[in-house]
Structures are given as structure tokens and as C-alpha cells.
Amino acid sequence: MVQFYSPNRRSVNRGIISVTADNLDAQGQGIARHQGKTIFIPGLLPNEQAQIQLTEEKRQFAKAKVVKRFSDSPHRVDPHCPHFKVCGGCQQQHVATELQVNTKASVLEHLIQRETGVSISSHPIIHSPEYGYRRRARLGLQYHAKQRTLSMGFRQSQTNDLVNIKRCPVMRPELEQLLQPLHQCLNSLNAVKRLGHVELVLADNGPLIVLRHLDPLKREDKEILRTFSVQYHVAIYLLGDEKSLEPLMPGQPAPWYQVDGLKLVFSPQDFIQVNDEVNQQMVAQALAWLDLQPTDRVLDLFCGMGNFTLPIATKVQTVVGVEGVAALVASGQYNAQLNELNNVNFFHENLESDIHQQPWAAQGFNKVLLDPARAGAAGVMAHIVKLAPEKVVYVSCNPTTLARDSKVLLEAGYHLVSVRMLDMFPHTGHLESMALFSSGPMDIE
């Protein structure tokens, strides 16, 4: 048999080694050093000693699993969730909240310092409740023909298999209490074999469910769902394909949430921030940083349905929101009218294309807010510099692209005044943040 040599393949030493973790990364993995190499070890906390076995080895680092732990950190806590270690949703429920948030803050500060040369604190942290914070969750549905039963839950870590979720302590209690009766309801449908996923959302006016079904539902199944809807006081929407969302019962009130005293109506398919408490604090912090005045002209890029745009409009001369998703723009326009805000203009534009020909780009603004997706805002940073606003607030779900885009502003003479770490997703590796830049002298908050 011919054997081929792969220069990129490295053998993994299966021997057992003993280490002491000296740090934690943003994903909740312990970090240890052995013979000059960094080793990442899920489940190990700083100052804990353990025997480990390497599972993957690269030139600069390795990954390992714990074989036996010899000591416990004072920051180790008992997870609240019975599915912890199996479900891929939360990785850090064994880590005390203080260590979780301080680790993420340190990672954010390190990235900014490494990429920009600016040393800055990301404290005070914008905190979240430890549990019961998630007001939106999508669960997969998987029918098992042999067992004749339905699994409903999240993916297992590093697999496509579902964990059948009976409890989820990070969900808002109003949603968590629906899990078991909803599973029983869906398992009783004739269409149980042809269901895609189910999404639970808690609006301020009550919970709702979006059910993705791959075939048209028969009358009997719709009747079962109506009974569930009435019994549990939950609005149900049916999603036959990605564009055919319809309420199960005509006349269902549209969902809405409040932010900064405004009422924002949304479609069940619209993006809204998962963590309402952090969202309220985030919006308040952004408005305070912008130091809004009645004469201001504000630009809100990647504005969604106006989560920042509409609160800004209550305090300034005019605000323009630009967003690439047409449905969100329509929601923003509707909510501007609903809240009687006449100084708001929304534009549906692709901010990753040539923005210079877009109609909003010809206008002048003295303050800018942007909230891009994980890819960041490379396509608009040069235009922001051209606008020469007094202040820029950048809200980020990816510290790497925040650090990258920050360099454009710093090279143009802006100062990085403040940074905040947002604990938007406790017990996970997601790191949300926001930063304030000023064109004037270094401000003091």
C-alpha cells in the first residue's frame, strides 16, 4: 500500500502529563504551560492542578482534556443546568461570574492594547443577571423513527446531535416553563416527523412561539396548537418556509418591547437583543457617551429596527439610520410613526458595498453610532473619518474587528476615551463591547 506524507499532520502524544492552570481564556478554557507550549484545557480553572491528556497538538499550542483534577479553585461553582457538559449552549456555568466577566474584560483590553497600542480599562462592566436573562432561543427538532419520539433542544458540543432540553436556566422563566409542555405538544402532532425548529421569544406583552414546519399542517394539528396557545397564553406563528410567517390565530397582537421609554413593535423574525437588561443599559450608556444635544445630526449605521436610532431621535435635531435588511428598515419606519418621531429617516442600503453613491452619504453628521455584525465595519470607517464627527460610539460583538476598525479612527486623530465590556451572554464565550471615540481633547466621563 502506498503511504502519503502530510507535512501539516502532527502526531499527538497520548501520554498523561501534570499541569497547573495559570489563566483562563474568554471561552472558559484553562490555560497551562508545558515545555514552553501553551495548552488549552476545557473545565480547568486558574491555580487548579490536574493530570491531562493532549487531544490536539500544533506548533505553537495544544489542546487537552482533564483526566484527573487534584484541586478546586475558589472560583469553581456548581452549574445550575442539568444538561451542562452535554449541551453546547453554555460552557462556563462552572466558573464564578466574577471570574467570567473579569477574564472577558482582560481579553478585550489585551486585544485593544495589542492592536492599537492603547492601554485602557473596560470597567465598570455592564452586568447581566447570572441566569434567566435570555428572552429568545431557537431549539432544533429531530424525530427518531426507532424510538418514535421527538428531541427538542440545542446541539451537543462539536456534534450535530440534539440534547433533549427539559430545563434551561439561562432562559427567562416565562420561556423555560414552556419547554416540557411544548415538547409534549409537538410530539403529539401528525407532522412530528416534518418539523424543522422552534423559536421561543418573550416580548413585553407576552411569550410567542415560531414553529418551522416542512409540510403544510393539517387541521387536526392546527387545532392541537390552538389549544396549547390558549392554555399557556402564548402566541404561535407558523413558518412554512423562510418567508411565509403567519399567525396561527388571526388578530394576535403584534409583539413589542420597550427601550428608553419607547414602544418598539417587531416581527417574530426581526433581530432583537437577546438580553433585555443589558440592552437597556447599553442604550443608556451609548446615549450618555454621545452627549446628545437638540442641534445634533446623528448617523446610526447597521441600525437594525432602530434600537438606538429611535431613542436618539427623542433628543436631537435629526437622526438617520442605515440598515441592510429591508424588513428591519420597515419595522424602524413603523415604530418611528408609532412613537410620533418625525425627525428620523431610515435607508435600506448594503453597507458592505460602495457607500459613496448611497443617498445618506451626501449628508453631514456631527455624531455617529455603529453596531455592525461580527465582520465589523471596514467598508464605512473611511467615510466616518471623512464626516469628521465629534464623537463615535462603536458597539461590537467581535473584539477583533473592533480593535481593527479602531485603528482607522486612531490614525485619523481620534482618541479612544472609554471602553465597556457588556456581559450580554453569561456562561458563554461571547464577548460584547462598546467604545467611545472623540475628536476633541481627552474627555472625562
Side-chain angles (χ1 to χ4, degrees):
M1 179 198 281
V2 178
Q3 293 184 338
F4 294 95
Y5 169 69
S6 173
N8 294 322
R9 187 181 299 156
R10 295 178 62 85
S11 62
V12 175
N13 179 1
R14 297 294 180 182
I16 306 296
I17 58 176
S18 294
V19 298
T20 300
D22 57 22
N23 212 334
L24 197 70
D25 73 358
Q27 305 302 315
Q29 300 180 111
I31 302 174
R33 324 284 169 176
H34 182 71
Q35 296 181 348
K37 181 171 288 188
T38 300
I39 305 175
F40 296 95
I41 312 151
L44 199 63
L45 301 186
N47 299 317
E48 289 185 339
Q49 297 178 313
Q51 285 183 338
I52 63 170
Q53 184 175 41
L54 299 186
T55 57
E56 183 180 344
E57 190 168 9
K58 302 289 186 182
R59 189 175 300 277
Q60 299 296 330
F61 68 91
K63 296 181 180 180
K65 63 181 181 180
V66 174
V67 176
K68 185 177 182 180
R69 194 174 67 247
F70 297 118
S71 60
D72 283 347
S73 164
H75 295 290
R76 180 173 291 278
V77 296
D78 292 329
H80 286 204
C81 182
H83 308 292
F84 180 68
K85 289 189 177 180
V86 182
C87 174
C90 297
Q91 306 85 31
Q92 301 188 34
Q93 288 193 23
H94 65 297
V95 185
T97 299
E98 181 184 9
L99 180 57
Q100 287 187 40
V101 297
N102 287 335
T103 297
K104 290 181 185 179
S106 296
V107 168
L108 174 63
E109 293 162 10
H110 172 74
L111 267 172
I112 290 174
Q113 199 282 329
R114 187 186 70 188
E115 295 298 319
T116 68
V118 177
S119 296
I120 192 166
S121 171
S122 59
H123 290 70
I125 292 165
I126 293 181
H127 286 279
S128 164
E130 289 186 58
Y131 289 94
Y133 67 83
R134 180 176 275 276
R135 65 175 172 181
R136 185 172 208 142
R138 176 182 287 196
L139 296 95
L141 299 173
Q142 190 174 64
Y143 184 75
H144 305 281
K146 289 184 178 180
Q147 294 85 3
R148 295 184 180 181
T149 188
L150 180 75
S151 287
M152 182 180 81
F154 302 114
R155 302 289 176 193
Q156 290 186 28
S157 179
Q158 300 179 341
T159 77
N160 288 323
D161 295 330
L162 288 182
V163 180
N164 201 31
I165 296 294
K166 296 183 178 180
R167 288 193 56 217
C168 183
V170 298
M171 282 188 190
R172 290 284 298 269
E174 299 94 325
L175 298 182
E176 187 188 25
Q177 67 187 12
L178 292 173
L179 290 175
Q180 295 195 50
L182 177 61
H183 178 255
Q184 293 170 2
C185 173
L186 298 181
N187 200 39
S188 70
L189 300 180
N190 294 312
V192 64
K193 300 177 184 178
R194 298 288 292 163
L195 301 178
H197 64 258
V198 64
E199 191 159 8
L200 283 71
V201 183
L202 183 63
D204 282 11
N205 56 329
L208 64 96
I209 291 170
V210 178
L211 177 63
R212 175 78 169 98
H213 54 97
L214 305 180
D215 295 330
L217 294 180
K218 295 182 179 180
R219 182 178 59 82
E220 295 88 344
D221 282 351
K222 288 186 177 180
E223 195 56 43
I224 291 172
L225 291 170
R226 287 191 188 98
T227 300
F228 181 90
S229 174
V230 172
Q231 181 177 356
Y232 291 95
H233 307 288
V234 56
I236 296 179
Y237 293 80
L238 303 178
L239 188 61
D241 61 48
E242 293 304 323
K243 296 182 180 179
S244 67
L245 184 74
E246 60 179 55
L248 175 66
M249 293 188 284
Q252 289 179 176
W256 53 270
Y257 74 92
Q258 286 188 314
V259 61
D260 198 46
L262 301 177
K263 179 179 178 179
L264 273 62
V265 173
F266 64 94
S267 161
Q269 290 180 292
D270 285 347
F271 170 82
I272 63 170
Q273 292 289 354
V274 163
N275 191 322
D276 177 55
E277 186 158 330
V278 170
N279 183 57
Q280 301 288 341
Q281 297 178 72
M282 176 178 69
V283 171
Q285 182 65 82
L287 269 57
W289 274 355
L290 286 169
D291 187 26
L292 298 169
Q293 303 298 323
T295 56
D296 285 340
R297 294 179 53 82
V298 183
L299 174 65
D300 182 6
L301 298 173
F302 311 94
C303 69
M305 57 177 281
N307 187 59
F308 291 100
T309 325
L310 299 175
I312 288 172
T314 65
K315 298 172 173 59
V316 301
Q317 178 183 332
T318 188
V319 58
V320 167
V322 188
E323 169 58 44
V325 179
L328 294 177
V329 171
S331 292
Q333 292 168 333
Y334 176 84
N335 284 308
Q337 295 175 357
L338 179 68
N339 290 281
E340 299 181 346
L341 297 170
N342 302 314
N343 58 339
V344 187
N345 287 303
F346 287 94
F347 290 86
H348 174 218
E349 299 288 349
N350 180 4
L351 291 171
E352 295 177 356
S353 65
D354 181 9
I355 65 173
H356 302 292
Q357 303 304 315
Q358 297 176 10
W360 65 269
Q363 302 182 34
F365 304 94
N366 67 314
K367 292 173 183 177
V368 173
L369 183 142
L370 63 160
D371 184 8
R374 291 190 61 80
V380 302
M381 297 309 297
H383 188 74
I384 292 175
V385 170
K386 182 181 176 182
L387 288 171
E390 303 161 22
K391 297 179 184 293
V392 177
V393 171
Y394 190 132
V395 181
S396 170
C397 60
N398 184 347
T400 302
T401 49
L402 169 63
R404 179 200 69 195
D405 295 341
S406 295
K407 289 192 283 189
V408 179
L409 294 172
L410 296 173
E411 289 168 1
Y414 281 81
H415 305 291
L416 178 54
V417 180
S418 295
V419 174
R420 289 286 182 274
M421 202 288 285
L422 313 174
D423 191 22
M424 186 75 78
F425 298 96
H427 313 302
T428 77
H430 293 288
L431 202 170
E432 311 271 327
S433 58
M434 57 195 299
L436 168 65
F437 299 86
S438 174
S439 62
M442 286 293 286
D443 297 348
I444 304 295
E445 287 187 73

